[in-house]
Amino acid sequence: MIEPVYLDYNATAPLCPEALAAMTAALAVTGNASSPHGFGRRARRLVEDAREQVASFVGARPEQLVFTGGGTEANNQALRAHGRPRVLVSAGEHASVLQAVPEVVRVPLRRDGVVSLAKLASLLAGDTAPAIVSLQLANNETGVIQPVAEAAALAREFGALVHCDAVQAAGKIPVDFALLGVDLMSLSAHKLGGPQGIGALVVADDVALQPFLLGGGQERGRRAGTENVAAIAGFGAAAAVVRQTLAHLEARRDAFEVELRGLAPSAVIFGAEAPRLPNTTCLALPGLTSESQLMALDLAGIAVSSGSACSSGKVAPSHVLGAMGASTEEAKAALRISTGWASGDSDYARFLEAWRPLAQRFPVTGSAVAKGAVTA
């Protein structure tokens, strides 16, 4: 039997043992965390302990943290509950940011996948309406890290609020809410080894955020609904043990990309000239479609992605790569490989073993390469 290899951490990370243990223990606790009796107080203690763990993990205070149903909900609340008529977002944002409000102003990306701060300044200067700027800390498809602190300082010159989607970055690079200088920040447990279905929104003290869900006073009146105690406990446990950086993965990834260059000189690695998450490679061999690669690799027991995994499993050309200037052919060939806390030394080798026949059957020369990507 073929031993499967999981290389899709940017979609979801495996549940870490500490999170599983915390959730199992929490499931044995009876009580609603809003109840005043002893049962409720025990459940409340689990919630507040986790709140402290997650807040500490990202340089925030516990009272600034609102637990949500996930990163998508946190993004929606950040962009729909601030009361400002103008929303500016980078063109490479996650769909939960791009689609959170009916009309957003998209700030273009450079060819290397980094947002254009000059264009952001121009757009902010061109309209005096109260605004909020949303910029992810790291892209879920390419791993490109954005200059959030610089963008936040720029936005403040124009009186704009700043939201940062840090879902993909947390647990892979250091994340500090205060140092980033943002007003709102989204997190998700399942990207760092916690359970699915739980996230958080960090809210600065001076931000008046309207409740996103109504019908209860939970989360200091900012998010109604009985708290998911077990999931919250798992989130806290994962945040307490996950490494602030996966720098040890960067050397493996770089060596892997060197092997790719030798195996497929015509392939493209997107965002390779920009700072990236240490666990992420987004590559394309034009002419070799994502669908054909995903099917062949899955048969070989290798789990990877064609990009974002939030579209009901469908494979479609990436809007992120399009915003970077990639051709349609390159976007249709894109493959994302992402590692994490449980990845083994042999995982990249297994991928190359399975991918080599595909690349060799499909020799490509002279393909167009977007600036900011490199030929592999």
Side-chain angles (χ1 to χ4, degrees), residues 152-171:
L154 175 62
R156 290 197 183 283
E157 295 179 13
F158 297 92
L161 291 178
V162 181
H163 164 250
C164 176
D165 176 358
V167 165
Q168 202 59 245

Side-chain angles (χ1 to χ4, degrees), residues 86 196 230 356:
R86 201 159 180 250
Q196 298 174 5
R356 181 178 289 108

Side-chain angles (χ1 to χ4, degrees), residues 20 59 68 95 134 149 174 181 195 242 271 291 313 319:
L20 178 59
T68 69
S134 184
V242 70
E291 291 95 330
H319 72 277

Side-chain angles (χ1 to χ4, degrees), residues 348-363:
Y348 278 133
R350 283 284 308 279
F351 171 86
L352 289 170
E353 179 184 358
W355 192 70
R356 181 178 289 108
L358 300 175
Q360 290 176 340
R361 288 204 312 266
F362 218 104

Side-chain angles (χ1 to χ4, degrees), residues 247-261 269 276-278 280-281 348:
H248 65 289
L249 294 178
E250 190 165 6
R252 291 184 191 170
R253 184 204 63 194
D254 291 348
F256 164 67
E257 291 180 358
V258 168
E259 292 194 61
L260 277 175
R261 293 184 181 102
I269 298 176
R276 283 183 294 158
L277 295 175
T280 304
T281 297
Y348 278 133

